[in-house]
Structure formats: structure tokens, C-alpha cells
């Protein structure tokens, strides 16, 4: 799961849990004190009613009491008010049919005090004594429904508003927090990918925003690392380039000196001079390939893009390669060449195809044909070059495109390769945003180049 | 009379060696080690040909060649960095007669020098040749002047040679192998694209016909044809 989603959900869950715990604790530990507080205030109120009612009945008589009780009933709507005789029959209001009523009446009559019956489940009752002038003790009885504890978030409009407010705030906060934590990570990841893809100039510290925490430290560390890698790689590339370049001057002189030696020496040393010449040519070839490779890797050579007819180039290069191959008793054949266009540099593509073809010719068995097939599919062109050279071990396949990589030392020496051709081809194809892969077939190796096609 | 060759290269040791070699081969050699004095020497009129390195102090080979071409048709062979296609293309476009990637084989250098010299000398020795005219292009082999609809076109000796061959066979395909041997005086080798490059420069200089059609057409892996309307 995405880190963003994780952080978001975790914080949301934490907030929900906290709210839940608070509600639970409030319910469990605050209900009792609230009840006793309520009981006390009820008792006080009833005591006042009791005194007032006794006073009124002694001064104003029964009619005055009725008026008072009616007023009380109007005032206190939630509590049905009844004045009961000691036997439970109503003098005012309705009779109370709660099972607790008779006992409560008895207690009040005998004690002359306010008595309250509290129940969490059903109706609660409150009884206050009212002494009539005739000496009879009546009981003023209140009964009320227990108020269901009001849910904080449910069942009422303010509750829903509270719930919506809480949810909105929680989600917004969690979203912002998750964003704050993960967006620099996402940027770091993008930067890492770009760096891995070869864009060594990638830096990220300026992009994670103005923050001072571990993530910005990480971004700065990343930049330090990228800078180090960049300087290492560029210096390595520069070294390769400079060495190759500097090697050329002495080589050029050596070539001329060799010719002079040839002019001056007798026929007896000509074979050894030719040998030296051959080695110098090989050195020369290697250096120019190294330079090409260095140039491609540093990206110094801008790929100038033009529309190219790939089929034409392939046929052209294949014809040249065939000419070369025939001298060694091998052949190159173009079995299929769909007409198709690509955008790119003709020189680079030519050299890529040439290197792949020459490599195939080098390894294919004597009197076999290197097959070249150019096919177009939706949006792509695919060039397959298949030889009959026995292929390479499966685990070596992805190493084929590394510079100076040799599958078999002895085999390579004999065939005269220096292990740069495929590396150059790979860099050239990559510069065109294409791909180059190798796979084994029944009796050889197939190198496949895929490039983006443009409409003819 | 010995042909006088001017070498413009900052590698003094190489100059010495090349001088030694080419002297034995029958050339007279002078060396200059930087671009500015190289240009001066090339313009002095004392030389039959120049060998010009691209990497030069003070003034690089391309600038030397560009300035030289403003005033002189002195044949020039450029020494380019091996594997650097851009240098090669730029050099030929500015007007080098041929190029040789460095490090080069001195035997090949000598052969190319001779080929280019022979062409320019052959033209001078043979003023009687008739001018060839195909539509609006007129080539006078004697004076080595090419005019396009009356205005003179500046061609290098290789381009001139190619155009002459193609016009002689106008309307017919001229094989690459034959062109390479008759004009460049060397066998066509696989993966060698210099002929294509010379032809493409020639095309640029001549432009297309008024109706937009190409003058020189490529016949893939065979050769070229100068089309006739």
C-alpha cells in the first residue's frame, strides 16, 4: 500500500480511537456523579415545593392549593404532578401506577421528608409530604422519564453537525499531514529514479520545500551523493576520453615511423613490420571505438534528428557486411525489410546496426547466413539480427552490452573482437530511446533492436 | 618539378616524420605548426597542396579552410579525428578535397595526395577538352569551371571530378566502384561513406532543378545517376 494511504489511514484511525476512548470514559465515569448531583437538586426543589404547598393549603385552603398545583404543572411540563392521599388515590392529577409508588408514599407519610426513587431503567419518582390543616399528610408525587443519555454525535441535528465537523477536520488534517510527510519522499524517489536512469545532474534539495527536518536532511544528503557520483562518472568519462585522445598522437607518429622503417629496411624484416602495423591498426581501432563510446556515454554528441528510412539503411549496411562476410565464407541476408521511418541520427543508427551485424558475422559458423529482418508493428520497428554461432550462456546475455565484456576469452581473441561493438550499439540505440536485447535461439544468438516508428 | 606540400599540424614530431616519409616519396614538404601562419603560408601561392589538421592552436582547421576558400582553390586534405563524423562532414562541406582520419596510414596519405594532384594537373595539361553541358549545368574540364545557369559554382576537386564523371554518363547509372576508382583513386571499401558524403555536398551546391526534381539520384547499393529531363 502507498505510504500516503497508510499514514492517512493510521492518523484517521488514531483520531477515531481517541474520540471513542473519550466518549467511553465520559460515559463510564461521569454518569454517577451526574446522577447524584441531579438527585440533590431534585430533592432541594421538592423540599421547597413541599414547604410551599403546606403553607398554601394552611393559608388559602384547598382551592389555593389546586391553583398552585396547576401552575406547577404548567411550569414543570416534564414532570406529571399528582397529589396523592396516603392510600394512593389522587387528590390532584392522575394516580401513579408505578409498582414503587405505594412504598414510596408510605415512606414519605411516615418520615415527613422528601423521598426519591431513582431508576436507570424506567420512571423515577419523587415524593414530597404536604400536611393539610386537617392533620392529614398527603404526598406530592412527581414522576419523570429517565432522560436517555444524549449521544454526542448521533440522533440529533447538533450531533450530526458535530460529527460532520469532526470528520471533516480529521480527514483534512490527516490528508495534510500525510501529504506533508510523503511529498518529499515522492520527490526523492523521482529524483532517485532519474539519477538511476542516468540523469546525473538531478538535485532535489530545492524541491522538498523550506523545511528543517530529517527529510530535508535526507534530500541534502541525496544531493551530496548525486554530486559525488556525477563528478566520479564525469571524471571517469573524461579520463577515458583524454587517454584515448592522447594515445592517438603517438600512434599517428608510430604509423609514419613504421612506413619509414619499411622504406629503409630490407625485405627480411618486412613481415615483422607488417605485424607491428597490424597491432597498431588494432590499437587504433580500439581507441576510436573507445572514443565513440565515451562520447555516446557522456551524451556530448547531440542526436541530431532527421527522418530516416530505416529499411534503406539496413539494406545498405547489410550489403557492406555481406561483402565483408563473403571474404570469410559467411553471408548476410536481409530476409525482410518493411519500409519504415524513424527519427534519429543516421550516423549513430548506421554504426549501431553495423556493430551488431559485424558482431554476428564474427561469431556465426562458417558457411552460414546471418539473417537480418526488419519488421514494423504498431508504433515500433523491430530489427532482428540472428546468427548461427551457438549463442552464449543464458546468464551472460545481459552482460553482452558491457564494454570489454568477453563471453569466452579464447574464442574472442581468435575472432579478433575487442568487446566494444555491442556496447557502442547499445549506447547509440539508447540515445534514440530504443531498446536492444539479446536472446538465444536454437543454434545462435538473436539481437533485437526496437525503435519508435514515425508515420511514413 | 617536385610537388610542394604544406603541412599544417601542431604536432611537430609528426610533421618531421611525415616530411621524412613524403620526401622519400618524392614530395617537397614545408611544415607550419599553427593555424594563423598556416593560412598565411597556404595563401602565399608557393604550394601545390595543403594537409590541414583540424585541431590547431590559434585558429582551428575549419576556420583556416573557410578563410582559405574565400581566396584560393588550393587542394586541401583534412586530418580529422577518427570516428568523429561531424568533423568529417563539416570539413567536406567547407570545401576540403578529401579527408583522412588520424592516425592515418602514410601510404594512403601519399596515394591521396597523388590522386588529387593528378586531377588538378591533368586538368591544366588538357585544356582542349570540350565543355559538357547538361541542361543548366556547364562544366569545362580545361578551366575546371562549373557554371549553374551562368553563375560559377565553387566545387572541390573531388566534387568536380564526380560531377564530370556523372555528366559524361548523364542519364546512365555510374557505379560507386567506378566512381571511387576514377575520382578518389582507391577501391571502394565496405562501410566507407565518403563517396556518399561528397555526392551529398555536390547536391547541396547544385540545388534542385526549377521543377524541384533531384539532379543526382542515388541507386541504392549500385551507384548514382545524373538525371536527364
Amino acid at each position: 500500500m502507498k505510504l500516503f494511504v497508510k499514514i492517512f489511514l493510521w492518523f484517521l484511525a488514531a483520531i477515531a480511537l481517541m474520540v471513542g476512548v473519550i466518549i467511553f470514559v465520559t460515559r463510564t465515569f461521569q454518569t454517577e456523579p451526574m446522577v447524584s448531583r441531579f438527585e440533590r437538586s431534585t430533592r432541594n426543589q421538592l423540599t421547597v415545593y413541599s414547604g410551599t404547598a403546606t403553607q398554601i393549603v394552611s393559608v388559602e385552603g384547598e382551592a389555593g392549593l389546586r391553583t398552585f398545583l396547576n401552575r406547577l404543572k404548567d411550569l414543570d411540563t416534564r414532570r406529571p404532578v399528582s397529589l396523592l392521599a396516603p392510600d394512593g388515590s389522587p387528590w390532584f392529577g392522575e394516580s401513579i401506577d408505578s409498582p414503587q409508588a405505594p412504598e414510596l408514599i408510605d415512606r414519605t407519610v411516615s418520615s415527613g421528608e422528601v423521598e426519591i426513587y431513582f431508576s436507570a431503567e424506567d420512571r423515577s419518582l419523587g415524593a414530597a409530604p404536604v400536611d393539610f390543616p386537617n392533620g392529614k399528610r398527603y404526598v406530592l408525587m412527581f414522576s419523570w422519564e429517565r432522560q436517555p443519555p444524549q449521544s454526542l454525535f448521533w440522533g440529533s441535528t447538533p450531533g450530526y453537525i458535530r460529527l460532520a465537523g469532526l470528520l471533516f477536520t480529521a480527514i483534512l488534517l490527516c490528508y495534510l499531514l500525510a501529504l506533508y510527510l510523503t511529498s518529499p519522499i515522492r520527490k526523492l524517489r523521482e529524483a532517485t529514479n532519474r539519477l538511476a536512469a542516468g540523469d546525473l545532474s538531478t538535485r532535489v534539495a530545492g524541491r522538498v520545500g523550506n523545511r528543517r527536518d530529517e527529510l530535508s536532511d535526507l534530500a541534502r544528503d541525496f544531493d551530496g551523493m548525486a554530486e559525488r557520483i556525477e563528478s566520479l562518472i564525469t571524471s571517469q568519462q573524461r579520463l577515458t576520453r583524454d587517454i584515448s585522445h592522447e594515445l592517438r598522437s603517438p600512434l599517428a607518429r608510430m604509423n609514419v615511423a613504421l612506413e619509414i622503417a619499411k622504406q629503409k629496411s630490407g625485405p627480411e624484416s618486412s613481415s615483422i613490420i607488417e605485424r607491428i602495423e597490424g597491432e597498431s591498426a588494432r590499437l587504433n581501432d580500439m581507441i576510436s571505438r573507445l572514443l565513440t563510446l565515451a562520447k555516446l556515454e557522456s551524451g556530448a554528441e547531440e542526436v541530431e534528428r532527421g527522418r530516416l528510412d530505416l529499411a534503406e539503411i539496413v539494406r545498405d549496411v547489410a550489403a557492406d557486411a555481406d561483402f565483408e562476410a563473403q571474404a570469410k565464407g559467411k553471408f548476410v541476408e536481409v530476409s525482410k525489410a518493411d519500409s519504415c521511418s524513424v527519427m534519429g541520427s543516421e550516423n549513430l543508427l548506421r554504426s549501431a546496426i553495423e556493430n551488431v551485424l559485424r558482431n554476428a558475422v564474427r561469431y556465426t559458423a562458417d558457411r552460414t547466413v546471418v539473417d537480418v529482418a526488419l519488421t514494423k508493428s504498431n508504433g515500433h520497428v523491430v530489427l532482428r539480427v540472428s546468427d548461427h554461432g551457438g549463442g552464449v550462456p543464458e546468464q551472460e546475455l545481459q552482460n553482452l552490452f558491457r564494454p570489454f565484456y568477453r563471453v569466452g576469452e579464447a574464442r574472442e581473441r581468435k575472432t579478433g573482437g575487442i568487446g566494444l561493438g555491442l556496447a557502442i550499439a547499445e549506447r547509440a540505440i539508447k540515445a534514440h530511446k530504443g531498446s536492444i536485447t539479446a536472446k538465444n535461439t536454437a543454434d545462435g544468438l538473436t539481437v533485437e533492436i526496437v525503435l519508435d516508428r514515425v508515420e511514413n | 618539378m617536385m610537388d610542394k606540400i604544406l603541412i599544417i599540424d601542431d604536432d611537430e614530431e609528426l610533421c618531421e616524420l611525415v616530411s621524412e616519409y613524403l620526401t622519400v616519396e618524392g614530395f617537397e614538404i614545408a611544415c607550419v605548426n599553427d593555424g594563423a601562419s598556416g593560412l598565411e603560408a597556404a595563401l602565399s601561392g608557393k604550394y601545390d597542396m595543403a594537409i590541414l589538421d583540424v585541431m590547431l592552436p590559434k585558429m582551428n582547421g575549419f576556420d583556416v579552410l573557410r578563410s582559405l576558400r574565400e581566396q584560393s582553390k588550393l587542394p586541401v586534405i583534412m586530418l580529422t579525428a577518427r570516428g568523429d563524423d561531424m568533423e568529417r562532414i563539416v570539413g567536406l562541406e567547407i570545401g576540403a578535397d578529401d579527408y583522412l582520419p588520424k592516425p592515418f596510414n602514410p601510404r594512403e596519405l601519399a596515394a591521396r595526395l597523388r590522386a588529387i594532384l593528378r586531377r588538378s594537373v591533368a586538368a591544366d595539361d588538357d585544356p582542349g577538352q570540350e565543355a559538357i553541358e547538361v541542361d543548366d549545368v556547364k562544366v569545362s574540364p580545361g578551366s575546371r569551371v562549373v557554371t549553374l545557369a551562368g553563375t560559377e559554382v565553387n566545387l572541390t576537386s573531388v566534387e568536380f571530378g564526380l560531377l564530370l564523371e556523372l555528366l559524361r554518363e548523364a542519364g546512365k547509372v555510374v557505379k560507386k566502384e567506378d566512381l571511387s576508382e576514377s575520382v578518389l583513386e582507391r577501391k571502394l571499401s565496405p562501410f566507407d561513406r565518403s563517396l556518399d558524403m561528397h555526392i551529398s555536398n555536390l547536391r547541396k551546391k547544385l540545388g534542385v532543378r526549377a521543377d524541384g526534381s533531384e539532379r543526382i539520384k542515388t541507386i541504392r547499393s549500385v551507384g548514382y545517376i545524373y538525371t536527364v529531363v
Side-chain angles (χ1 to χ4, degrees):
Chain A
M1 202 173 8
K2 291 261 185 225
L3 186 61
F4 177 84
V5 180
K6 274 186 190 165
I7 292 178
F8 179 76
L9 290 182
W10 267 107
F11 276 98
L12 206 59
I15 289 179
L17 195 68
M18 262 154 57
V19 171
V21 166
I22 287 171
I23 291 174
F24 175 76
V25 168
T26 316
R27 281 278 168 75
T28 319
F29 298 99
Q30 284 203 349
T31 313
E32 286 317 310
M34 268 173 75
V35 165
S36 63
R37 209 163 52 234
F38 182 70
E39 183 182 344
R40 203 161 50 245
S41 75
T42 307
R43 188 179 296 278
N44 290 342
Q45 205 177 4
L46 291 189
T47 310
V48 172
Y49 287 163
S50 154
T52 313
T54 308
Q55 198 81 36
I56 287 174
V57 81
S58 67
V59 176
E60 298 178 22
E62 290 181 10
L65 184 62
R66 266 182 212 282
T67 319
F68 170 69
L69 289 177
N70 269 326
R71 265 211 328 266
L72 205 60
K73 202 174 178 177
D74 290 342
L75 270 175
D76 215 338
T77 47
R78 276 183 304 161
R79 298 174 189 169
V81 184
S82 306
L83 190 64
L84 306 174
D87 61 353
S89 56
W91 182 86
F92 177 87
E94 287 154 26
S95 67
I96 304 291
D97 53 4
S98 167
Q100 278 77 31
E103 196 240 323
L104 199 66
I105 292 167
D106 285 348
R107 269 192 7 233
T108 314
V109 170
S110 56
S111 69
E113 298 280 320
V114 170
E115 297 290 343
I116 288 175
Y117 164 75
F118 264 109
S119 162
E121 279 78 38
D122 50 10
R123 294 172 77 83
S124 300
L125 299 173
V130 179
D131 292 325
F132 274 49
N134 58 9
K136 259 181 142 175
R137 181 167 279 170
Y138 282 70
V139 175
L140 186 60
M141 184 79 97
F142 294 81
S143 88
W144 63 91
E145 283 292 346
R146 173 182 167 273
Q147 280 293 310
Q150 183 91 45
S151 169
L152 198 52
F153 298 120
W154 213 249
S156 64
T157 316
Y160 287 134
I161 292 174
R162 265 199 295 275
L163 183 67
L166 183 79
L167 271 178
F168 176 75
T169 319
I171 288 174
L172 186 72
L173 276 178
C174 292
Y175 176 80
L176 290 178
L177 183 73
L179 202 66
Y180 180 74
L181 288 178
T182 55
S183 81
I185 297 178
R186 206 188 63 240
K187 282 172 187 154
L188 268 166
R189 189 164 162 255
E190 285 167 7
T192 314
N193 281 341
R194 272 210 309 283
L195 189 75
D199 180 5
L200 299 177
S201 62
T202 307
R203 298 292 180 272
V204 78
R207 296 181 59 238
V208 296
N210 193 13
R211 51 199 291 165
R212 301 190 185 283
D213 55 15
E214 286 86 343
L215 283 171
S216 68
D217 289 347
L218 181 60
R220 269 194 299 280
D221 293 347
F222 174 89
D223 285 0
M225 181 187 76
E227 208 153 291
R228 178 110 182 91
I229 291 177
E230 188 183 20
S231 82
L232 276 176
I233 288 187
T234 43
S235 73
Q236 185 234 331
Q237 281 170 349
R238 198 179 311 121
L239 189 71
T240 318
R241 206 166 53 231
D242 290 353
I243 289 177
S244 311
H245 210 85
E246 289 309 313
L247 282 175
R248 266 181 175 169
S249 306
L251 208 58
R253 284 175 227 139
M254 193 171 95
N255 275 351
V256 182
L258 261 170
E259 272 321 300
I260 297 172
K262 236 180 184 174
Q263 282 175 341
K264 291 182 174 168
S265 70
E268 69 279 359
S269 44
S270 74
S271 77
I272 195 69
I273 288 179
E274 255 156 46
R275 178 69 200 272
I276 300 173
E277 236 179 351
E279 295 302 328
S280 129
R282 183 175 283 187
L283 209 55
N284 201 349
D285 187 41
M286 207 185 304
I287 288 169
S288 51
R289 277 160 186 270
L290 260 179
L291 274 171
T292 310
L293 191 67
K295 214 175 279 171
L296 279 173
E297 282 197 327
S298 66
E301 192 159 16
E302 279 290 304
V303 182
E304 12 120 27
R305 282 165 195 283
R307 181 186 287 267
L308 304 170
D309 183 350
L310 199 60
E312 238 180 56
I313 296 176
V314 166
R315 272 200 220 98
D316 222 34
V317 178
D320 283 350
D322 187 45
F323 181 83
E324 252 191 9
Q326 286 188 17
K328 301 177 200 158
K330 302 167 178 181
F331 307 92
V332 177
E333 219 174 79
V334 181
S335 64
K336 195 166 192 287
D338 288 348
S339 159
C340 51
S341 301
V342 294
M343 294 299 280
S345 143
E346 171 159 8
N347 287 322
L348 280 184
L349 285 180
R350 211 171 247 282
S351 96
I353 298 168
E354 182 189 319
N355 277 307
V356 171
L357 266 174
R358 282 184 146 175
N359 192 69
V361 167
R362 186 175 301 141
Y363 291 120
T364 200
D366 284 348
R367 285 184 301 284
T368 57
V369 177
V370 172
D371 181 74
V372 183
L374 177 69
T375 50
K376 61 178 173 188
S377 65
N378 249 353
H380 296 290
V381 290
V382 181
L383 177 69
R384 283 193 193 86
V385 176
S386 312
D387 64 31
H388 302 278
V392 301
E394 208 56 43
Q395 70 272 17
E396 311 265 26
L397 279 176
Q398 74 267 34
N399 293 326
L400 280 179
F401 300 101
R402 271 169 43 191
F404 292 116
Y405 189 79
R406 288 156 194 272
V407 174
E409 193 87 4
R411 179 179 171 226
E412 183 86 28
R413 279 275 154 71
K414 201 177 70 203
T415 49
I418 54 169
L420 283 174
L422 287 182
I424 290 173
E426 195 229 6
R427 300 326 186 259
I429 294 299
K430 266 200 177 154
H432 286 81
K433 311 232 176 325
S435 71
I436 181 167
T437 48
K439 61 171 186 279
N440 282 314
T441 53
D443 65 340
L445 187 76
T446 295
V447 175
E448 189 178 284
I449 295 174
V450 181
L451 288 166
D452 284 341
R453 188 164 76 95
V454 291
E455 286 308 316
N456 290 29
Chain B
M1 196 194 84
M2 281 208 283
D3 293 310
K4 285 187 187 153
I5 311 287
L6 173 69
I7 303 179
I8 309 171
D9 193 322
D10 61 330
D11 187 341
E12 291 179 30
E13 288 173 71
L14 182 70
C15 285
E16 264 170 47
L17 286 163
V18 173
S19 304
E20 190 181 342
Y21 177 81
L22 290 178
T23 309
V24 177
E25 293 289 312
F27 295 96
E28 200 180 315
I29 308 293
C31 295
V32 176
N33 301 113
D34 70 84
S37 38
L39 178 62
E40 202 179 306
L43 288 170
S44 68
K46 286 190 282 188
Y47 302 98
D48 300 309
M49 186 156 178
I51 299 170
L52 178 61
D53 189 22
V54 173
M55 301 258 283
L56 285 175
K58 289 189 191 167
M59 190 177 183
N60 77 33
F62 295 133
D63 294 337
V64 172
L65 184 59
R66 217 173 272 126
S67 316
L68 181 67
R69 277 287 170 262
E70 283 168 11
Q71 307 172 42
S72 158
K73 280 188 171 185
L74 182 77
V76 171
I77 288 188
M78 285 227 107
L79 298 180
T80 61
R82 189 176 278 270
D84 197 327
D85 293 326
M86 279 320 289
E87 285 193 2
R88 199 159 74 181
I89 294 165
V90 171
L92 289 179
E93 265 182 8
I94 302 177
D97 292 83
D98 208 345
Y99 67 88
L100 208 52
K102 206 175 174 182
F104 51 86
N105 183 326
R107 247 179 309 160
E108 198 173 349
L109 177 64
R112 295 205 183 179
L113 286 175
R114 285 204 186 92
I116 294 173
L117 284 168
R118 195 154 41 234
R119 261 200 311 276
S120 54
V121 171
D124 296 340
D125 289 352
D126 193 7
Q129 269 192 325
E130 273 180 45
I132 300 176
E133 204 170 346
V134 176
D135 50 89
D136 53 351
V137 177
K138 187 178 171 191
V139 178
S140 320
S143 56
R144 299 187 72 75
V145 170
V146 178
T147 57
L148 177 65
T151 43
E152 195 179 331
V153 185
N154 255 321
L155 296 186
T156 67
S157 63
V158 171
E159 287 158 6
F160 184 86
L162 288 173
L163 182 61
L164 194 60
E165 290 297 317
L166 287 171
L167 287 181
R168 274 182 182 148
E169 304 285 323
K172 280 181 265 176
V173 178
V174 185
K175 281 188 186 166
K176 272 188 178 181
E177 287 90 338
D178 298 343
L179 279 177
S180 181
E181 273 170 42
S182 63
V183 180
L184 301 178
E185 301 200 6
R186 59 176 189 260
K187 276 210 175 303
L188 183 71
S189 57
F191 304 115
D192 182 2
R193 303 234 306 124
S194 50
L195 207 55
D196 299 322
M197 253 181 286
H198 285 296
I199 292 282
S200 116
N201 287 337
L202 186 57
R203 274 199 193 115
K204 270 182 217 156
K205 288 184 183 174
L206 293 179
V208 291
R209 286 203 182 84
D211 63 355
S213 65
E214 198 68 73
R215 292 170 196 274
I216 303 171
K217 276 196 178 149
T218 308
I219 311 296
R220 261 300 144 179
S221 61
V222 179
Y224 302 96
I225 181 169
Y226 193 95
T227 55
V228 189
V229 276

